[in-house]
Amino acid sequence: MKIALVTDWLISYAGSEKVEEAILGLFPEADVYTCVYDPDAFSQTRFVEHEVRQSFISRLPKAKTHYQKYLPLMPYAVEQFDLAAYDVIISSSHAVAKGVLTGPDQLHVCYCHTPIRYAWDFQHQYLAESGMGKGIKGIVARYLLHRLRLWDVRTANGVDFFVANSRYIARRINKVYRRDAEVIYPNVAVDDFSLVEEKDDFYLAASRLVPYKRVALIVEAFTKMPDKRLVVIGHGEQMGQIKQMLTPNITYLGYQPFAELKHYMEQAKAFVFAAEEDFGIMPIEAQACGTPVIAYGRGGALETVVDGETGIHFYEQSCAGIVAAVERFEREGVKRSPALIRSHAERFSRQRFDERFKNFVDERWSEFRRQRGF
């Protein structure tokens, strides 16, 4: 079968891009299509072995650095990809990739990281955090998101099979598109992390410093617990705000290479995670080190962190919620040993993803061929 892999954009090497690289490993003959691509960010990945075909957006001013501003053009952009020569189209989509045009004799499998968060139930939060909740900008943004929702629902009809990265996202797919989805958890590089049984006396928060990650909320909570140490790793738009919040018990290290991040993750007494994520890879990486996770009990964390066993959930995304969870952790701990916490993380390994996703695509293609008499 001739395969095309379609992604939203390839600008930074993060969670969805790691899934896409794994898919390329399973189907190395696939051709790659995306709205805009920054090859420098993927110089150490499988993408360098492929010709990445970009949309016209890549030729627009500052496309690599301001690609998000071109979101209103992206539905039109992905519809211009000519995929007529392919048997199977695999889209990896959290925005527009699933909207490519396909024919009745082409199989389209969408690995959906989420329906477009900022166009659906996160619209109001997104507009408030981006400063576009009011005025003319707000009116225009709301109208564009309204149009995007209409397009998003329509193009779901072009997908033959949805695969969700968590049960949480499967529920969102059913809510938005009224479609069922197979759940195949993303590939987490569990083997890149080492089990450490003896932990140091500090908590760790590590993430991109953007509003929805809620790292500033974690920092604020630890300012109210001066007897507990917190180490913060990451960089982003909230870096200045977080630096201003620091107290003597909080250490901010900024961006750190993987080896340093891994070291702190292995040594921490617990990893603190306050975001509502679709899946959330870092809590799995922490558990691969045998490190418990104190996580906001919404989204993917409900599936990856077992309350009282491999971590602690808090259900109010607030300072008080985090403080109460840390106090509960200090008082009760968790039931599983570091070795059993790592064993739990291995459920989300790269090998498990490879086996399940490859089998899913192969089986759906075999069924598709039989039904059409190929």
Side-chain angles (χ1 to χ4, degrees):
M1 53 184 173
K2 191 172 182 183
I3 301 175
L5 171 63
V6 186
T7 77
D8 297 309
W9 48 77
L10 294 169
I11 296 297
S12 61
Y13 186 62
S16 62
E17 291 80 10
K18 291 177 181 178
V19 171
E20 289 147 14
E21 184 183 23
I23 293 171
L24 276 183
L26 297 174
F27 304 102
E29 72 280 11
D31 293 329
V32 181
Y33 292 80
T34 194
C35 286
V36 59
Y37 172 54
D38 181 1
D40 293 339
F42 294 86
S43 59
Q44 303 300 314
T45 73
R46 286 192 176 96
F47 287 96
V48 298
E49 302 165 9
H50 294 257
E51 178 190 355
V52 178
R53 305 173 193 200
Q54 304 178 62
S55 74
F56 68 87
I57 290 175
S58 65
R59 300 190 294 274
L60 298 179
K62 298 183 178 179
K64 291 179 184 177
T65 53
H66 293 77
Y67 63 96
Q68 291 152 320
K69 293 182 178 179
Y70 295 118
L71 180 65
L73 296 176
M74 288 185 182
Y76 175 74
V78 297
E79 290 177 345
Q80 306 317 303
F81 292 140
D82 183 1
L83 305 179
Y86 298 94
D87 302 306
V88 177
I89 290 85
I90 301 173
S91 59
S92 172
S93 185
H94 53 79
V96 299
K98 76 163 184 31
V100 291
L101 303 179
T102 59
D105 292 330
Q106 294 175 294
L107 175 68
H108 181 181
V109 175
C110 175
Y111 190 94
C112 185
H113 304 275
T114 178
I116 311 172
R117 291 168 60 97
Y118 35 85
W120 291 100
D121 46 323
F122 285 79
Q123 172 187 282
H124 303 295
Q125 178 183 324
Y126 164 74
L127 291 174
E129 290 176 350
S130 61
M132 293 191 295
K134 299 178 181 178
I136 297 298
K137 282 186 178 180
I139 293 171
V140 173
R142 290 172 194 275
Y143 175 73
L144 290 175
L145 291 172
H146 165 71
R147 298 292 301 176
L148 185 56
R149 281 191 292 274
L150 296 176
W151 178 87
D152 193 34
V153 170
R154 178 184 66 75
T155 57
N157 293 323
V159 176
D160 295 294
F161 295 97
F162 277 101
V163 178
N165 66 1
S166 64
R167 295 194 300 272
Y168 171 61
I169 292 304
R171 293 195 300 273
R172 294 191 77 228
I173 289 169
N174 186 265
K175 179 73 173 181
V176 173
Y177 306 137
R178 296 302 178 189
R179 297 282 301 278
D180 293 332
E182 181 85 3
V183 176
I184 300 178
Y185 290 117
N187 50 303
V188 181
V190 172
D191 292 341
D192 290 351
F193 296 84
S194 304
L195 171 64
V196 173
E197 302 269 358
E198 297 297 324
K199 303 297 183 180
D200 205 338
D201 189 26
F202 69 88
Y203 294 86
L204 175 67
S207 172
R208 288 183 293 118
L209 304 183
V210 294
Y212 89 92
K213 294 289 189 179
R214 296 292 188 265
V215 177
L217 188 64
I218 297 171
V219 171
E220 184 181 355
F222 274 83
T223 65
K224 303 179 185 304
M225 298 183 285
D227 59 324
K228 296 174 177 59
R229 290 174 56 210
L230 174 70
V231 174
V232 180
I233 293 176
H235 69 294
E237 63 190 71
Q238 289 194 309
M239 183 169 58
Q241 175 188 346
I242 286 170
K243 284 182 176 180
Q244 292 179 350
M245 297 170 65
L246 298 179
T247 51
N249 62 313
I250 302 172
T251 303
Y252 173 62
L253 299 179
Y255 169 80
Q256 294 294 314
F258 174 75
E260 283 300 304
L261 172 63
K262 176 175 176 288
H263 169 76
Y264 281 97
M265 202 170 269
E266 291 168 350
Q267 298 296 324
K269 67 191 301 183
F271 182 78
V272 188
F273 188 77
E276 181 178 347
E277 285 279 20
D278 306 324
F279 175 71
I281 287 178
M282 276 195 160
I284 304 295
E285 293 174 340
Q287 290 172 91
C289 303
T291 300
V293 177
I294 298 172
Y296 180 45
R298 290 286 298 273
L302 286 175
E303 300 170 51
T304 61
V305 179
V306 183
D307 186 55
E309 301 280 340
T310 70
I312 298 291
H313 289 154
F314 59 94
Y315 301 98
E316 181 182 314
Q317 205 174 33
S318 66
C319 268
I322 295 171
V323 170
V326 171
E327 289 175 347
R328 179 187 164 199
F329 177 75
E330 294 270 345
R331 184 174 62 251
E332 301 175 7
V334 294
K335 293 180 182 178
R336 296 194 193 183
S337 66
L340 288 177
I341 292 174
R342 179 182 172 85
S343 178
H344 170 72
E346 288 171 350
R347 296 177 54 225
F348 308 95
S349 69
R350 180 184 296 153
Q351 292 84 356
R352 184 163 293 194
F353 171 85
D354 287 353
E355 178 181 351
R356 291 203 60 204
F357 191 76
K358 182 70 163 58
N359 288 343
F360 182 86
V361 173
D362 288 345
E363 289 169 5
R364 298 295 86 76
W365 175 238
S366 295
E367 293 171 6
F368 193 81
R369 292 180 67 193
R370 282 197 302 272
Q371 289 170 0
R372 284 156 178 76
F374 292 173

